[in-house]
Amino acid sequence: MFGSSSSIKLDKSLFERVKRCADAAGYSSPEEFVVHVIEKELAQIEEGASDEEIMSKLQGLGYID
């Protein structure tokens, strides 16, 4: 689902958590679950926000310094 030109590496313990949650929620794969979670989070961040607001939110979430 990520495509051949992109990949994201997760440590083993995080991947196991993703896999467990994906299974419990009925997703067909951990990748499908991750895509859904990322799309949901991006939509929430992007909702009517300017670039400056997005950067501020990402900093607040600890994604960037």
Side-chain angles (χ1 to χ4, degrees), residues 15-61:
F15 182 77
E16 290 303 318
R17 290 173 59 200
V18 166
K19 187 175 177 186
R20 192 170 53 250
C21 289
D23 289 343
Y27 287 88
S28 64
S29 67
E31 291 84 359
E32 182 184 29
F33 175 74
V34 169
V35 167
H36 179 254
V37 169
I38 291 173
E39 286 176 343
K40 186 176 173 182
E41 186 66 24
L42 287 173
Q44 191 174 31
I45 292 171
E46 293 171 337
E47 190 175 282
S50 68
D51 287 348
E52 194 172 295
E53 291 171 321
I54 291 170
M55 293 297 286
S56 177
K57 286 181 182 181
L58 290 174
Q59 286 174 330
L61 292 170

